């Protein structure tokens, strides 16, 4: 059984990398963001709490994150292990998580803030069909138009430089103590998040001692 944590700033591609690992190794991919989005869509009690926090411009509280993760892991559908994304959020949670679940490795995707700004601020979204674009890697064929439905593309409301700076500051402040704790336990694998997706995946597998990545799997 393999138990991994994946950490990385927004735009580092951690969701994509986690999914690639999951497919091949039969891991459960536990994404706190995905779980919260599900609750919001299903109008659950947790969904209402998430919406309230977002409407107030706050992050979802650490305690709620912890509860959601505890419940998700309690389902025990992870016979081959899991890869978790968005947790732990503070030193206390990290300590508890290490001890309770005996984590094998923490994959830390490193991306300089300048590259995060470049990636995040070039994102565009089709408000009609939900397709994502990126003016660097994933340009629409016609500038400013959705390839699928032809609707005009927009920038997400929270992808402004000011909002991004606030998220970056918050990320570094919250992540530092968690990473420090994991480093003391010698489970952190730093991986350069700048190369293309396949190369990053290969680097992750190499450092974890897994077999190589084949794009046609
Ligand atoms: Zn569209």
């Amino acid at each position: 059984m393999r138990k991994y944590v994946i950490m990385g700033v927004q735009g580092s591609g951690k969701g994509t990398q986690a999914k690639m690992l999951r497919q091949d190794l039969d891991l459960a991919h536990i994404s706190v963001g995905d779980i919260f989005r599900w609750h919001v869509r299903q109008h659950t009690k947790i969904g209402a709490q998430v919406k309230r926090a977002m409407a107030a411009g706050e992050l979802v509280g650490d305690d709620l994150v912890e509860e959601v993760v505890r419940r998700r892991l309690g389902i025990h559908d992870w016979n081959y292990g899991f890869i978790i994304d968005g947790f732990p959020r503070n030193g206390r949670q990290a300590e508890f998580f290490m001890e309770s679940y005996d984590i094998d490795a923490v994959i830390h995707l490193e991306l300089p803030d300048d590259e995060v700004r470049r990636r995040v601020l070039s994102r565009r979204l089709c408000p009609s069909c939900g397709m994502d674009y990126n003016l660097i890697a994933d340009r629409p064929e016609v500038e400013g138009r959705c390839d699928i439905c032809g609707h005009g593309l927009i920038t997400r409301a929270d992808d402004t430089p000011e909002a991004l700076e606030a998220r970056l500051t918050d990320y570094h402040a919250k992540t530092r103590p968690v990473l420090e704790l994991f480093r003391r336990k010698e489970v952190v694998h730093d991986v350069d998040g700048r190369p293309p997706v396949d190369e990053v995946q290969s680097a992750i597998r190499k450092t974890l001692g897994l077999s190589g990545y084949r794009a046609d799997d």
Side-chain angles (χ1 to χ4, degrees):
M1 190 184 293
R2 299 184 168 105
K3 285 166 282 179
Y4 300 135
V5 173
I6 189 161
M7 295 175 70
V9 69
Q10 176 189 32
S12 63
K14 71 185 156 130
T16 305
Q17 296 299 335
K19 285 191 181 91
M20 289 163 92
L21 271 181
R22 172 198 65 183
Q23 271 168 7
D24 213 30
L25 303 173
D26 262 327
L27 305 176
H29 175 209
I30 300 176
S31 157
V32 172
D34 286 351
I35 294 172
F36 281 151
R37 276 185 285 276
W38 182 89
H39 280 283
V40 170
R41 277 200 306 274
Q42 303 296 319
H43 303 286
T44 66
K45 218 166 145 185
I46 288 174
Q49 285 173 271
V50 172
K51 273 172 90 170
R52 252 201 313 279
M54 288 187 333
E58 292 162 4
L59 286 175
V60 177
D62 289 348
D63 290 348
L64 185 57
V65 172
E66 191 172 335
E67 187 191 328
V68 157
V69 169
R70 194 157 8 102
R71 279 200 212 175
R72 178 62 188 81
L73 287 167
I75 299 172
H76 286 289
D77 61 341
W78 36 277
N79 297 330
Y80 298 98
F82 57 76
I83 180 160
I84 192 161
D85 166 354
F87 186 85
R89 299 246 287 224
N90 58 44
R92 182 183 59 78
Q93 288 178 349
E95 187 102 46
F96 170 79
F97 199 49
M98 263 316 290
E99 283 167 12
S100 313
Y101 290 98
D102 198 18
I103 299 304
D104 295 300
V106 174
I107 303 154
H108 177 225
L109 282 180
E110 293 185 294
L111 199 66
D113 284 357
D114 276 347
E115 180 62 14
V116 175
R117 290 186 193 101
R118 203 174 77 92
R119 289 187 183 187
V120 171
L121 298 178
S122 66
R123 294 198 298 205
R124 296 295 181 273
L125 169 75
C126 173
S128 175
C129 72
M131 187 72 187
D132 285 309
Y133 294 88
N134 187 296
L135 303 185
I136 306 164
D138 228 344
R139 300 186 71 91
E141 284 190 20
V142 179
E143 200 184 318
R145 293 269 149 211
C146 178
D147 290 348
I148 313 285
C149 71
H151 200 284
L153 300 179
I154 59 163
T155 305
R156 286 169 202 275
D158 59 351
D159 278 354
T160 63
E162 298 75 27
L164 177 60
E165 287 315 307
R167 290 202 297 276
L168 274 172
T169 304
D170 185 72
Y171 172 81
H172 290 303
K174 286 218 151 190
T175 307
R176 205 170 295 125
V178 174
L179 260 179
E180 273 167 18
L181 189 135
F182 282 143
R183 282 196 200 285
R184 282 201 297 277
K185 311 272 183 190
E186 299 180 347
V187 288
V188 178
H189 297 255
D190 294 308
V191 175
D192 185 354
R194 288 171 301 180
V197 167
D198 285 2
E199 281 177 41
V200 174
Q201 180 68 198
S202 296
I204 290 173
R205 290 179 185 227
K206 198 171 166 207
T207 185
L208 295 178
L210 303 169
S211 59
Y213 174 67
R214 283 157 296 154
D216 57 347
D217 272 356

